[in-house]
C-alpha cells in the first residue's frame, strides 16, 4: 500500500515545523535574542504598552511641576484666586491622565504577555518533542518539563520586571534630571555623571554574579527532576523499602539548591546595599545644593520643593532600577540555562528535502549496518538482512545480541554508523518521520499508556477513528471482557503509564492500538511476555488476525510464539548466525536447537537468556 500525507495542511505544518526548529536552535544560550523573537510577534501591543508607560511617567513628572506651580501661586492666591484655581485644575488633570495611562498599559500588557508566554511554551514543547530518543535517555523527564515551564516563566517575569519595575523608574530618573536642569544646569550635569558611573559599576558587578544565578537555576531544575523521578517510580521505592533513603537523598538536593539560592540572593543584596548607600548620598547632596541656591536667591521656595521631590524620585527610581536590574540578571541567567538545555541542536534532524515514505511492498532491508550506542562497544556489525513483503520473521538470540537495536533502527530512533536501513527500497533517513511512523505499528514488551481514557489510548495512532472502530479493534484483541467490567468502560482512565491495568491488560490494549492503526509493518517485542498461558492462547489468535497481510518482525524468548513464522533469524554479537524455518533450525546445531534441548523438548516455550 502507498502512504501519503493526510492533507496539504499537514505537509505545510511539517515544513513550518522544520524551519522553526532550525531557527530556534540558534537561540540556545541567547536569552535576549530569544525574548525579542517572541516580543516581535506582538509588536503593536508592546508598542502601545510602552507608549502608555512613557505617557504615564511623563504625566507623573509633570505633576511634580504642577505642585511647584501651585506652591508658587499660593502667596498671591488671595489677590488672584484664578491663578491658584488654574494651577489646581492642571494638577488634577495630570494626576488623572497619569492613572489612565497606567490602566491602558496594564490592560494591553495582560494580553500581550500571556500570548508571548503561550507562544514560548508551544514552541519549546514542539522543539523538545523533535529530539531523538537518545536525547531523552540522557535527561530526566522532570528536568526537561521544568525547563519548558522555566523558559516561559522567566520571560513572563522579565517582561513584567522591565515594563513595571525597570522601565518606568528609568524614565522617571531621566525626566527628573531634565527637570532639575530648569533649576540648575550644573546640578543636572552632575546627576547625569554620577548616575552613569553608578549604573556602569552595577552592570559590571551584576555580570560577575551570572555564574551564581546559573548555578541556582541548574540546581532548581535538578530538584524538579529528582522529584518527578521518585514520584514516577514510587512502586519501586516502596518495594525496596527505600522511602527513607529517597527522603534523605531529596533533602541533599534541597540543601544544595538552598546553598545555590542563598549565594545568588546574597550577591543581589550586596548590589542593592551599594546602590542604597550611593543614592542616599546623592539625594542629600542634591537637596543641600538646592537649599544653598535658595539662600543665594537663585531658587524659589517652589524650586526647593520641586528638587526635593525630584530628589526623592531619583532616589526611589534609581533604587527600583537597580533592584530590577539585579533581579533581571537572575532571571535572564535562568532563561539562558533552560534554553541552552532545550534548544540543543537535533542530533538527527529531518532532512530539508525529506519525502514521504511510499510503501508499495513492505520490504525491509538492512544493508551492511553497523551501530554502537555512545560509549559502548558495537551492537551490530555489518548486519545485512532482507525481509520480504508479507513475511513473518522472528528474531531470537541471547541478551545483547542486537535484536532490540534492529527494531530501534528500523523506527529511526538512531542513525547507523555505517550502512543504511530501507523500507520498500527507500532509505528511511531520507523520508519524513511522520510517514515512517505511519508505516509501522509496534506492540512493545513494556507497554506505556498515557494518563488518559482507554479510548484515547487505543486510537492514539488513529485519532479520527470512530468509537465503533475502536470497539471492533478491542474485540479482535480480546480486551472487551475486562474493559466491559470497568465502571466507565472505554472512558476509564488508564492511570500514570497504565498503572490501573495489569501487565497483560496493557499488552492487549497495545494490540488493539496496533490493530486500529493498520500499518503495513508490524513490530512485536515480546508481545505476549506478560500473559498467562490461558491469555496467551487468546492473544495468539488476536495476533494471528493482526499479522495477516503484513510484514512482521518479532522478538520472542518464548519460542512457541514463533512456530507459525516463515523464518527465524538467530543473532549473536550483532550478526546473523543462523536463519531458517523453525523446523529447519530445530534440526541444525546452534543456539536455537541448544535452547530447545536444554528444556527437553523441541516445540514448547523455552526462554533464551
Amino acid at each position: 500500500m502507498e502512504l501519503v500525507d493526510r492533507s496539504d495542511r499537514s505537509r505545510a505544518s511539517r515544513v513550518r515545523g522544520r524551519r522553526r526548529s532550525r531557527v530556534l536552535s540558534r537561540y540556545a544560550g541567547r536569552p535576549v535574542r530569544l525574548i525579542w523573537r517572541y516580543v516581535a510577534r506582538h509588536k503593536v501591543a508592546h508598542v502601545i504598552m510602552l507608549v502608555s508607560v512613557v505617557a504615564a511617567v511623563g504625566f507623573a513628572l509633570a505633576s511634580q511641576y504642577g505642585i511647584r506651580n501651585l506652591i508658587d501661586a499660593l502667596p498671591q492666591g488671595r489677590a488672584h484666586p484664578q491663578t491658584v484655581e488654574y494651577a489646581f485644575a492642571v494638577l488634577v488633570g495630570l494626576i488623572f491622565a497619569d492613572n489612565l495611562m497606567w490602566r491602558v498599559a496594564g490592560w494591553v500588557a495582560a494580553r500581550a504577555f500571556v500570548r508571548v508566554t503561550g507562544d514560548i511554551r508551544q514552541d519549546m514543547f514542539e522543539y523538545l518533542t523533535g529530539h531523538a530518543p537518545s536525547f531523552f535517555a540522557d535527561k530526566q523527564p522532570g528536568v526537561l518539563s521544568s525547563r519548558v515551564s522555566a523558559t516561559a516563566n522567566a520571560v513572563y517575569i522579565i517582561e513584567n520586571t522591565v515594563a513595571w519595575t525597570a522601565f518606568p523608574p528609568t524614565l522617571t530618573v531621566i525626566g527628573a534630571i531634565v527637570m532639575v536642569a530648569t533649576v540648575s544646569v550644573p546640578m543636572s550635569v552632575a546627576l547625569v555623571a554620577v548616575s552613569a558611573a553608578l549604573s556602569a559599576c552595577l552592570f559590571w558587578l551584576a555580570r560577575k554574579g551570572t555564574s551564581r544565578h546559573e548555578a541556582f537555576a541548574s540546581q532548581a531544575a535538578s530538584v524538579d527532576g529528582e522529584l518527578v523521578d521518585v514520584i514516577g517510580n514510587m512502586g519501586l521505592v516502596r518495594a525496596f523499602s527505600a522511602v527513607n533513603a529517597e527522603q534523605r537523598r531529596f533533602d541533599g538536593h534541597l540543601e544544595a539548591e538552598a546553598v545555590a539560592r542563598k549565594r545568588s540572593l546574597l550577591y543581589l543584596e550586596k548590589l542593592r546595599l551599594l546602590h542604597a548607600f550611593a543614592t542616599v548620598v546623592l539625594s542629600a547632596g542634591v537637596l543641600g545644593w538646592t537649599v544653598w541656591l535658595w539662600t543665594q536667591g537663585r531658587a524659589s521656595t517652589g524650586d526647593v520643593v520641586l528638587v526635593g521631590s525630584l530628589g526623592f524620585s531619583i532616589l526611589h527610581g534609581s533604587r527600583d532600577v537597580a533592584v530590577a536590574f539585579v533581579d533581571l540578571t537572575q532571571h535572564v541567567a535562568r532563561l539562558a540555562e533552560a534554553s541552552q538545555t532545550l534548544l540543543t541542536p537535533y542530533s538527527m534532524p529531518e532532512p530539508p528535502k525529506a519525502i514521504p515514505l511510499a510503501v508499495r511492498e513492505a520490504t525491509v532491508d538492512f544493508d551492511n549496518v553497523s551501530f554502537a550506542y555512545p560509549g559502548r562497544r558495537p551492537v551490530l556489525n555489518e548486519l545485512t538482512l532482507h525481509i520480504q513483503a508479507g513475511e513473518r520473521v522472528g528474531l531470537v538470540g541471547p541478551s545483547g545480541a542486537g535484536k532490540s537495536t534492529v527494531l530501534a533502527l528500523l523506527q529511526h530512533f538512531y542513525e547507523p554508523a555505517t550502512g543504511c536501513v530501507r523500507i520498500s527500497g527507500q532509505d528511511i533517513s531520507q523520508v519524513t518521520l511522520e510517514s515512517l511512523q505511519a508505516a509501522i505499528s509496534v506492540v512493545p514488551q513494556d507497554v506505556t499508556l498515557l494518563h488518559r481514557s482507554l479510548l484515547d489510548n487505543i486510537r492514539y495512532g488513529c485519532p479520527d477513528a470512530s468509537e465503533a472502530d475502536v470497539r471492533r479493534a478491542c474485540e479482535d484483541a480480546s480486551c472487551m471482557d475486562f474493559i466491559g467490567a470497568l465502571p466507565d468502560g472505554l472512558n476509564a482512565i488508564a492511570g500514570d503509564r497504565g498503572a490501573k491495568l495489569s501487565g497483560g491488560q496493557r499488552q492487549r490494549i497495545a494490540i488493539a492500538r496496533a490493530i486500529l492503526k493498520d500499518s503495513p509493518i508490524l513490530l512485536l517485542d515480546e508481545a505476549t511476555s506478560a500473559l498467562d498461558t490461558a491469555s496467551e492462547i487468546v492473544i495468539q489468535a488476536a495476533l494471528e488476525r493482526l499479522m495477516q497481510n503484513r510484514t512482521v518482525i518479532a522478538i520472542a524468548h518464548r519460542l512457541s510464539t514463533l512456530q507459525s513464522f516463515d523464518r527465524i533469524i538467530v543473532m549473536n554479537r550483532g550478526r546473523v548466525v543462523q536463519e531458517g524455518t523453525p523446523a529447519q533450525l530445530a534440526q541444525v546445531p546452534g543456539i536455537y536447537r541448544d535452547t530447545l534441548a536444554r528444556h527437553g523438548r523441541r516445540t514448547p516455550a523455552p526462554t533464551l537468556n
Side-chain angles (χ1 to χ4, degrees):
M1 70 182 71
E2 183 174 351
L3 296 177
V4 296
D5 294 317
R6 294 181 179 177
S7 64
D8 292 339
R9 184 182 300 175
S10 178
R11 284 195 294 271
S13 177
R14 286 199 306 275
V15 171
R16 288 194 301 269
R18 287 199 298 266
R19 187 183 302 117
R20 185 165 54 243
S21 296
R22 288 195 297 271
V23 172
L24 276 175
S25 63
R26 302 172 191 166
Y27 294 92
R30 297 179 177 179
V32 176
R33 290 185 59 193
L34 182 65
I35 294 172
W36 177 248
R37 168 183 170 82
Y38 292 96
V39 169
R41 291 186 183 179
H42 309 283
K43 283 188 250 187
V44 174
H46 283 83
V47 168
I48 293 174
M49 183 204 67
L50 290 178
V51 169
S52 300
V53 170
V54 171
V57 173
F59 287 129
L61 288 171
S63 299
Q64 304 292 331
Y65 206 78
I67 293 174
R68 174 218 177 182
N69 290 339
L70 180 61
I71 291 174
D72 285 342
L74 288 177
Q76 295 84 29
R78 293 183 177 88
H80 305 282
Q82 67 274 11
T83 304
V84 176
E85 291 170 358
Y86 176 75
F88 175 77
V90 169
L91 179 58
V92 171
L94 290 172
I95 294 173
F96 174 79
D98 171 22
N99 283 276
L100 177 63
M101 288 298 98
W102 280 120
R103 298 289 65 76
V104 171
W107 187 269
V108 175
R111 287 164 169 75
F113 292 177
V114 169
R115 288 172 183 164
V116 166
T117 53
D119 289 347
I120 290 177
R121 283 179 187 269
Q122 181 180 20
D123 284 358
M124 290 296 155
F125 177 74
E126 289 182 3
Y127 188 90
L128 181 63
T129 55
H131 277 291
S134 57
F135 175 84
F136 298 96
D138 297 331
K139 306 286 190 305
Q140 289 179 308
V143 171
L144 295 176
S145 62
S146 70
R147 279 178 166 91
V148 171
S149 297
T151 53
N153 292 338
V155 171
Y156 181 78
I157 294 173
I158 289 170
E159 281 211 285
N160 272 281
T161 302
V162 170
W164 312 125
T165 312
F167 187 55
T170 299
L171 294 176
T172 299
V173 170
I174 294 173
I177 291 175
V178 171
M179 293 181 69
V180 168
T182 63
V183 177
S184 172
V185 173
M187 185 188 304
S188 179
V189 172
L191 283 171
V192 170
V194 172
S195 297
L198 181 59
S199 297
C201 179
L202 286 173
F203 180 77
W204 179 73
L205 291 173
R207 290 195 63 180
K208 288 191 66 176
T210 299
S211 61
R212 292 175 172 84
H213 309 321
E214 289 180 342
F216 164 57
S218 179
Q219 285 293 340
S222 176
V223 168
D224 291 339
E226 285 292 323
L227 192 61
V228 172
D229 191 35
V230 173
I231 292 175
N233 292 281
M234 188 54 68
L236 174 67
V237 172
R238 289 190 175 276
F240 285 87
S241 303
V243 172
N244 292 334
E246 290 298 338
Q247 290 174 349
R248 290 191 297 270
R249 177 185 172 87
F250 188 67
D251 287 346
H253 283 280
L254 287 178
E255 180 64 26
E257 182 200 25
V259 171
R261 183 192 290 265
K262 183 173 67 176
R263 291 182 70 238
S264 175
L265 293 178
L266 287 178
Y267 191 83
L268 297 180
E269 285 303 318
K270 291 177 183 177
L271 295 184
R272 291 174 181 142
L273 180 62
L274 171 63
H275 173 266
F277 176 77
T279 50
V280 167
V281 173
L282 178 63
S283 298
V286 169
L287 185 58
W289 193 340
T290 308
V291 171
W292 177 78
L293 290 175
W294 176 78
T295 62
Q296 300 296 311
R298 294 159 57 187
S300 68
T301 303
D303 288 334
V304 174
V305 174
L306 173 64
V307 172
S309 177
L310 292 175
F312 283 112
S313 295
I314 294 171
L315 168 64
H316 294 299
S318 58
R319 181 194 61 199
D320 291 343
V321 170
V323 169
F325 182 75
V326 294
D327 284 345
L328 281 174
T329 59
Q330 187 178 47
H331 295 298
V332 168
R334 187 161 193 175
L335 175 60
E337 191 273 340
S339 64
Q340 185 71 53
T341 300
L342 295 176
L343 299 180
T344 301
Y346 290 155
S347 60
M348 294 173 56
E350 188 174 276
K353 296 183 179 180
I355 61 175
L357 175 64
V359 184
R360 295 176 179 86
E361 292 186 348
T363 59
V364 174
D365 290 279
F366 282 72
D367 297 334
N368 295 315
V369 172
S370 296
F371 175 78
Y373 294 100
R376 295 165 58 183
R377 65 175 180 80
V379 180
L380 299 181
N381 296 286
E382 299 181 351
L383 176 67
T384 296
L385 180 63
H386 173 72
I387 300 175
Q388 297 178 2
E391 187 178 16
R392 301 181 186 182
V393 175
L395 300 181
V396 300
S399 178
K403 306 183 297 297
S404 296
T405 302
V406 168
L407 300 192
L409 292 178
L410 184 57
Q411 297 172 79
H412 203 212
F413 288 171
Y414 303 94
E415 197 73 62
T418 61
C420 70
V421 181
R422 303 179 189 275
I423 292 179
S424 194
Q426 291 181 262
D427 185 347
I428 64 172
S429 66
Q430 302 302 313
V431 303
T432 62
L433 186 58
E434 183 178 358
S435 65
L436 174 64
Q437 292 167 340
I440 301 173
S441 291
V442 183
V443 180
Q445 177 180 8
D446 184 14
V447 176
T448 298
L449 302 180
L450 297 172
H451 187 65
R452 302 173 189 174
S453 69
L454 297 181
L455 180 65
D456 289 338
N457 273 284
I458 293 170
R459 63 182 177 193
Y460 194 66
C462 190
D464 297 330
S466 66
E467 185 170 337
D469 292 333
V470 173
R471 289 185 177 277
R472 280 192 293 270
C474 290
E475 290 171 358
D476 288 342
S478 300
C479 53
M480 278 307 298
D481 53 345
F482 73 83
I483 291 177
L486 297 173
D488 296 323
L490 283 170
N491 293 316
I493 301 300
D496 181 37
R497 290 181 288 185
K500 292 185 177 181
L501 303 178
S502 69
Q505 290 172 336
R506 287 198 299 270
Q507 282 197 318
R508 282 190 270 178
I509 292 293
I511 292 171
R513 185 167 56 191
I515 291 173
L516 189 65
K517 188 179 179 184
D518 193 25
S519 301
I521 298 175
L522 175 65
L523 306 183
L524 304 176
D525 187 0
E526 288 294 332
T528 61
S529 63
L531 303 176
D532 54 38
T533 303
S535 298
E536 183 181 0
I537 295 173
V538 175
I539 294 303
Q540 284 292 358
L543 287 175
E544 186 64 31
R545 292 190 292 270
L546 174 61
M547 291 187 292
Q548 292 295 325
N549 302 318
R550 288 180 173 81
T551 301
V552 181
I553 304 176
I555 296 175
H557 294 309
R558 291 184 180 182
L559 300 186
S560 62
T561 62
L562 304 178
Q563 296 308 301
S564 64
F565 274 47
D566 302 312
R567 183 160 49 123
I568 303 294
I569 294 176
V570 182
M571 297 184 63
N572 192 22
R573 297 183 180 179
R575 297 179 184 274
V576 175
V577 295
Q578 286 182 302
E579 61 178 308
T581 65
Q584 290 172 339
L585 292 181
Q587 303 297 326
V588 178
I591 295 175
Y592 188 87
R593 194 177 75 170
D594 291 345
T595 305
L596 291 175
R598 280 199 303 270
H599 292 81
R601 52 188 180 271
R602 290 177 179 264
T603 57
T607 299
L608 289 172
N609 297 315

